[in-house]
Amino acid sequence: DPRIKLIKNDINIGAGGSINKGLSHCNGDFIAIMHGDDISEKNRFSKQICYFVKNPQIDILGTQYLKINNQGKLLSKSKSHLPLNEEVIKYSMLFNNCICHSSVMFRKTIFNNKIGYNPSSRLNEDYEFWIELINCGCKINNLPFVGVFYRFHNTQVSNVRAIEELLLFQKLRYNYRKRFNAKINFLLNSIENINISLILDVAQMVKLLGFKKDISQVFYNKILFFIHETIKKTKNQKIEILIIYIKFIWIAGIKNFKIKIILRSLINLLR
């Protein structure tokens, strides 16, 4: 196919440098990322371009994904639940990378300001790039459909160099936090150092900060995760924890919460 350009590096310049090199050869209005070991959904590009045309304020667009193994078989039938709102993405990035790199499409115009991947980065180059774009005022969103089948295997960089990657992620995340005000940073510290006795106080703190509902849910989800993990690990005081759990749900204003969540807690309580 004459449209395909094969670009070879004489030496290993890392993922960030290689992507920048590829970008320098792109001349279309939209640029899509595709990892060599993943599989793209056949209508992914048309759906993303259609969304871009209808939403000119969006600069970067990702999708949901499904995990597959080396043989291309699904590891789970449950798709990812990446946030679908640019403001929620901005706050979710305080905790984790919520953009699937292999599903992303950009507007070419975002690179007009000399923004690019860190050429020296060989780990977390995508997360570093997202937060730089957010800091520059670019708008990022995710679509609800599965756009890519993401391959998980033991030789991935994220598995082989997991500790190194985690340390770099924490450093990048800490730098990203600096752009938020003191109240939000205090909340983040409280969540990171939370214990059973502080759960309700931290939940109340989220409520008092007056976030929009979907942004508050980003912080409530982190507290919920801590509660679930604590219930699983705790041998004693499970009744007290369950009471705190129910009070937390009341403070968080989670209406019509799933019966299965309460059942899961009760099952763990009775073990």
Side-chain angles (χ1 to χ4, degrees):
D1 190 325
R3 297 172 297 178
I4 296 174
K5 300 177 183 179
L6 177 62
I7 304 166
K8 294 184 178 181
N9 295 327
D10 295 327
I11 59 172
N12 186 349
I13 61 173
S18 294
I19 295 173
N20 286 338
K21 189 174 180 179
L23 291 172
S24 69
H25 289 266
C26 295
N27 52 23
D29 294 330
F30 303 102
I31 300 170
I33 298 292
M34 189 68 232
H35 292 182
D37 53 354
D38 299 334
I39 300 173
S40 189
E41 192 271 337
K42 64 179 181 179
N43 296 316
R44 170 193 154 197
F45 292 165
S46 62
K47 291 177 181 178
Q48 286 178 303
I49 291 173
C50 183
Y51 186 89
F52 272 128
V53 171
K54 293 179 180 178
N55 298 272
Q57 78 280 8
I58 298 299
D59 303 296
I60 307 101
L61 190 60
T63 74
Q64 308 302 314
Y65 64 88
L66 281 168
K67 296 179 183 179
I68 58 175
N69 62 14
N70 275 336
Q71 290 73 44
K73 295 181 179 180
L74 288 177
L75 292 173
S76 171
K77 293 183 180 180
S78 299
K79 70 176 183 179
S80 59
H81 297 284
L82 302 175
L84 308 177
N85 175 288
E86 60 181 278
E87 278 292 302
V88 178
I89 289 172
K90 181 177 76 172
Y91 284 94
S92 296
M93 285 287 185
L94 289 165
F95 297 100
N96 55 272
N97 187 351
C98 55
I99 306 291
C100 176
H101 191 219
S102 195
S103 75
V104 161
M105 184 178 282
F106 310 96
R107 290 187 189 276
K108 178 70 182 296
T109 52
I110 71 171
F111 299 102
N112 293 343
N113 297 322
K114 306 299 182 183
I115 299 173
Y117 290 76
N118 182 350
S120 63
S121 177
R122 303 202 174 209
L123 293 169
N124 288 304
E125 67 279 345
D126 54 336
Y127 179 72
E128 184 173 3
F129 187 46
W130 308 146
I131 59 179
E132 180 186 1
L133 290 172
I134 291 172
N135 288 338
C136 291
C138 292
K139 305 296 185 182
I140 305 178
N141 209 348
N142 284 313
L143 290 175
F145 76 95
V146 173
V148 69
F149 296 89
Y150 190 76
R151 199 179 304 272
F152 279 69
H153 50 81
N154 294 332
T155 58
Q156 282 177 305
V157 172
S158 55
N159 288 325
V160 176
R161 302 170 65 183
I163 295 177
E164 184 182 353
E165 185 176 45
L166 177 60
L167 291 174
L168 177 58
F169 174 79
Q170 296 293 10
K171 180 181 178 181
L172 292 170
R173 180 171 163 267
Y174 176 77
N175 290 333
Y176 179 53
R177 283 175 53 167
K178 292 179 181 178
R179 73 185 299 271
F180 292 85
N181 63 42
K183 290 181 179 179
I184 292 178
N185 272 282
F186 183 77
L187 173 61
L188 291 171
N189 288 330
S190 299
I191 292 174
E192 289 168 357
N193 297 288
I194 201 168
N195 57 50
I196 294 300
S197 64
L198 294 175
I199 286 173
L200 300 182
D201 289 336
V202 177
Q204 194 67 41
M205 194 186 309
V206 174
K207 187 174 183 178
L208 291 173
L209 283 172
F211 296 114
K212 293 179 182 177
K213 183 178 179 180
D214 50 2
I215 295 173
S216 293
Q217 196 60 50
V218 172
F219 297 101
Y220 288 141
N221 284 343
K222 292 301 171 183
I223 302 173
L224 275 172
F225 176 78
F226 173 80
I227 296 172
H228 289 158
E229 291 300 302
T230 302
I231 290 174
K232 287 191 290 185
K233 295 175 183 178
T234 303
K235 295 181 180 180
N236 302 313
Q237 297 182 307
K238 288 194 173 183
I239 292 178
E240 290 86 347
I241 295 172
L242 186 58
I243 291 172
I244 291 173
Y245 189 2
I246 294 170
K247 288 182 178 179
F248 164 77
I249 289 174
W250 181 264
I251 292 173
I254 303 174
K255 298 178 181 179
N256 301 320
F257 51 89
K258 304 292 185 182
I259 296 297
K260 66 180 182 181
I261 294 178
I262 296 298
L263 287 176
R264 184 196 309 168
S265 301
L266 289 172
I267 290 169
N268 286 321
L269 176 65
L270 297 172
R271 282 178 180 171

